[in-house]
Amino acid sequence: MNPADLPAIAGGVPVRTQPLAYGRHRMDESDIAAVVAALRSGTLTGGDGVSTFEHALAARCNAGHAVAVANGSVALDLAVGALGVGPGDEVVTTPLTFVATANAVLRLGASPIFADIGDDRCLDPASAARAVTSRTKALITVDYSGLPADIPALRAALPRPLPIIADSAHSLGGSLHGHAVGSLADITTLSFHPVKQITTGEGGACLTDDPLLADIIRRRRNHGMTSTADERTGALWKYDVTTLGDNYRLTTMQAALGASQLRRLDDIVAERGELADRYDAMLAGIPGVGLPPRPEGRRSAWHLYVIEIDPEAFGCARDIVIDALRAEGIEATLHYPAVHLLSLYRERGGVPGTAPRAERLCERLVTIPLYPTMTAADQDDAVVALHRIQTWAAAHASAS
Ligand SMILES: Cc1ncc(COP(=O)(O)O)c(C=O)c1O
């Protein structure tokens, strides 16, 4: 092989000197101005800023109520808790997710039951239906990489009506048959971590049409108290505590940032979509690279661009692909190891063979960089690196 074509992992010159992250936030001057205005407003937590953000979020997602919280993980805790899940209960979910999804179930003393995924990489309705038992209290779908899970299909497949939580940490701005993410499940949870479509630094939200669920979540966000500090003015200074909660509040500055970013959500999702289309076109010719699924009727919010490596056709195993991309300065990564095979879950009975499709895919997935401030040249670097690695791997594979 020509030394100039050698990948960095085999001694060649890396494609990049400055590493290219897999995800990154975008901050405009209007966002900075919004946070500064919040800082000057005299209110640092609570106040109108948080409710303004919540109303905008509910309106954008076509949900009756939005409750903004400290992060996407506690949004899940609050959602699962609001459905009354507790010790002895089971919650059916997917193993192809961030561990926070299942941890929320475990923290309440209940058991996550891992069903398999479908071609869309989301919870498979038939597999989820088979996992339902008399102890099942709810299901949690995950909109993997930004693609909304088919919740109507899941509801139709279930042997009895059960509440569904959509963990939509990846998919704000996506839609299913024209219905916005946030309007499909009994409770939808969001994350505003910096790599997500919009960010508040750390932050999250629960969305629901059910006023009773919204009320439980809102109270538990604030220690279970019957009134907030904002409401205890004048003669109304007394409060009671009616349920166990904690401090899961978002600050006023975070809410101001979220409201500012939310105004650009459609542009952000469109930009992410254009980058994904461009990747699809450029990667289609590389042997052994499977592109993300694009099921009919679903608009992905493209949180992540995740390819599938077929080790035989590509020439090497997935782990080598990630190592080799990183050596090139492309910060490829894995979303995710199968949750039921993580040590914590193995100790609780997780075994290989539980969800064969998810387990196989988790050995083949590679997340490559995708975020709105990334340039076409950045994207070209990722593709050139992948090409170079594949050519080298295939040459090695045929020589051995
Ligand atoms: C699918 C999923 N659920 C939940 C979370 C937790 O969100 P947060 O980081 O805001 O706590 C994440 C975070 O990335 C996630 O990817």
Side-chain angles (χ1 to χ4, degrees), residues 267-322:
D267 292 343
I268 292 167
V269 171
E271 281 168 20
R272 287 177 172 273
E274 281 164 26
L275 289 165
D277 292 349
R278 194 162 180 269
Y279 264 145
D280 273 14
M282 290 194 294
L283 296 175
I286 304 184
V289 174
L291 304 180
R294 289 176 178 261
E296 193 69 26
R298 291 191 234 184
R299 183 179 190 231
S300 176
W302 291 108
H303 163 47
L304 302 171
Y305 190 89
V306 190
I307 56 173
E308 179 183 349
I309 299 295
D310 172 349
E312 267 76 54
F314 191 89
C316 67
R318 184 277 313 279
D319 286 6
I320 299 174
V321 179
I322 294 185

Side-chain angles (χ1 to χ4, degrees), residues 39-359:
L39 281 167
R40 292 205 168 111
S41 72
T43 303
L44 300 185
T45 187
D48 291 345
V50 175
S51 49
T52 301
F53 178 42
E54 290 177 337
H55 285 130
L57 205 52
R60 175 60 183 78
C61 298
N62 199 18
H65 309 268
V67 185
V69 296
N71 55 63
S73 306
V74 298
L76 280 161
D77 285 350
L78 288 164
V80 178
L83 294 177
V85 172
D89 293 333
E90 294 177 350
V91 175
V92 176
T93 190
T94 163
L96 183 55
T97 185
F98 185 52
V99 69
T101 315
N103 282 356
V105 177
L106 220 50
R107 256 194 297 275
L108 285 166
S111 302
I113 303 297
F114 296 99
D116 214 342
I117 55 168
D119 289 341
D120 58 359
R121 301 175 175 174
C122 299
L123 187 61
D124 175 52
S127 177
R130 282 195 297 276
V132 169
T133 70
S134 57
R135 302 203 314 181
T136 307
K137 196 78 183 246
L139 295 96
I140 311 178
T141 58
V142 175
D143 299 337
Y144 178 77
S145 77
L147 189 73
D150 192 344
I151 288 175
L154 176 60
R155 275 197 210 284
L158 294 178
R160 61 188 163 88
L162 282 161
I164 298 174
I165 296 170
D167 179 346
S168 298
H170 295 187
S171 59
L172 176 61
S175 62
L176 178 102
H177 302 302
H179 299 286
V181 161
S183 66
L184 295 155
D186 296 276
I187 308 177
T188 299
T189 63
L190 302 174
S191 163
F192 309 130
H193 179 273
V195 292
K196 303 295 178 2
Q197 287 82 10
I198 69 166
T199 186
T200 57
E202 298 284 356
C206 294
L207 306 169
T208 181
D209 278 341
D210 184 330
L212 293 176
L213 289 175
D215 189 52
I216 294 170
I217 292 168
R218 198 166 277 124
R219 262 186 294 140
R220 289 187 182 171
R221 165 180 69 175
N222 191 36
H223 307 281
M225 293 162 79
T226 48
S227 64
T228 65
D230 289 336
E231 289 160 349
R232 285 192 296 282
T233 54
L236 301 171
W237 52 272
K238 284 189 171 174
Y239 65 84
D240 192 11
V241 171
T242 54
T243 180
L244 183 60
D246 208 326
N247 176 357
Y248 294 133
R249 298 184 299 262
L250 199 69
T251 68
T252 314
M253 293 78 77
Q254 288 174 304
L257 180 55
S260 175
Q261 296 233 324
L262 187 62
R263 281 184 213 114
R264 295 200 309 280
L265 178 65
D266 290 330
D267 292 343
I268 292 167
V269 171
E271 281 168 20
R272 287 177 172 273
E274 281 164 26
L275 289 165
D277 292 349
R278 194 162 180 269
Y279 264 145
D280 273 14
M282 290 194 294
L283 296 175
I286 304 184
V289 174
L291 304 180
R294 289 176 178 261
E296 193 69 26
R298 291 191 234 184
R299 183 179 190 231
S300 176
W302 291 108
H303 163 47
L304 302 171
Y305 190 89
V306 190
I307 56 173
E308 179 183 349
I309 299 295
D310 172 349
E312 267 76 54
F314 191 89
C316 67
R318 184 277 313 279
D319 286 6
I320 299 174
V321 179
I322 294 185
D323 287 344
L325 282 167
R326 288 180 163 242
E328 299 291 349
I330 308 296
E331 296 280 321
T333 190
L334 168 62
H335 293 92
Y336 298 94
V339 171
H340 64 291
L341 300 182
L342 297 170
S343 298
L344 176 75
Y345 285 88
R346 280 187 192 255
E347 284 162 16
R348 284 160 176 74
V351 286
T354 307
R357 294 193 69 180
E359 289 165 25

